[in-house]
Amino acid sequence: MPLERPTAHDLVDSVQSLHQVLKCVAHAGVRPGRPGIGPLAVLVRVHNNEPVRATDIARALGIGPASLSRHVAELESAGMLLRGQDPADARAQLLRLTAEGRAAVEESTAHRAELLTELLDSWDEARARDAVTLLDELADVLREGLSRDAAGRAAT
């Protein structure tokens, strides 16, 4: 049964509000001298998928090749990321983390977990687990819908 129009509008408002708050939390979680939000997102994606093609990272993050290239260059010069050719396709680049990159991801994850623990101090474990489940489900459904939409556009 499809969403009713008022509920869909409420959902849009809630998602936009959450997006804005999460951006603020992300900025609050950046430590001086460590990768910023964009480069850190690249590091985390590589960490979770390495070795991974640069184009796959850009697609997953919803950024263009120029933005990804800037982030990769910054991370490479900081000694956190390695670029290499994809043996299956010499035109494609594969990205891997260095030990420094892996440490940056682990440090950032720990710092952000501490920050969320402080911000959600009124929540118990069960409520936090419920939120994780619901947010994961929402992300999966939206990702699936976007994939179907992209496949439909490619077919036309």
Side-chain angles (χ1 to χ4, degrees):
M1 179 162 151
L3 290 178
E4 294 181 16
R5 193 175 215 46
T7 303
H9 284 250
D10 288 346
L11 187 56
V12 167
D13 289 345
S14 292
V15 168
Q16 286 176 332
S17 178
L18 179 61
H19 177 71
Q20 292 303 312
V21 170
L22 289 175
K23 283 172 49 177
C24 293
V25 170
H27 283 286
V30 173
R31 290 191 151 163
R34 300 308 285 165
I37 293 168
L40 184 58
V42 172
L43 283 178
V44 169
R45 276 285 174 181
V46 174
H47 180 270
N48 294 338
N49 299 285
E50 74 179 315
V52 62
R53 285 178 160 206
T55 53
D56 293 338
I57 295 291
R59 188 177 312 109
L61 294 176
I63 61 175
S67 292
L68 179 68
S69 183
R70 279 192 304 277
H71 294 323
V72 168
E74 177 184 330
L75 293 166
E76 194 174 32
S77 70
M80 296 183 185
L81 196 65
L82 297 172
R83 242 190 288 218
Q85 276 190 326
D86 184 343
D89 181 354
R91 299 167 297 167
Q93 292 182 342
L94 284 180
L95 303 176
R96 288 184 173 81
L97 295 183
T98 64
E100 176 70 21
R102 199 168 316 291
V105 170
E106 291 166 3
E107 175 188 307
S108 172
T109 301
H111 177 64
R112 288 176 181 206
E114 288 173 26
L115 178 60
L116 283 178
T117 299
E118 291 170 19
L119 294 173
L120 298 172
D121 66 347
S122 64
W123 282 24
D124 63 12
E125 186 70 19
R127 189 168 188 188
R129 280 272 142 225
D130 288 346
V132 167
T133 300
L134 187 60
L135 290 171
D136 285 348
E137 183 181 337
L138 177 61
D140 289 345
V141 168
L142 293 175
R143 229 179 262 113
E144 194 177 293
L146 289 170
S147 292
R148 277 194 317 268
D149 184 53
R153 281 194 314 264
T156 58

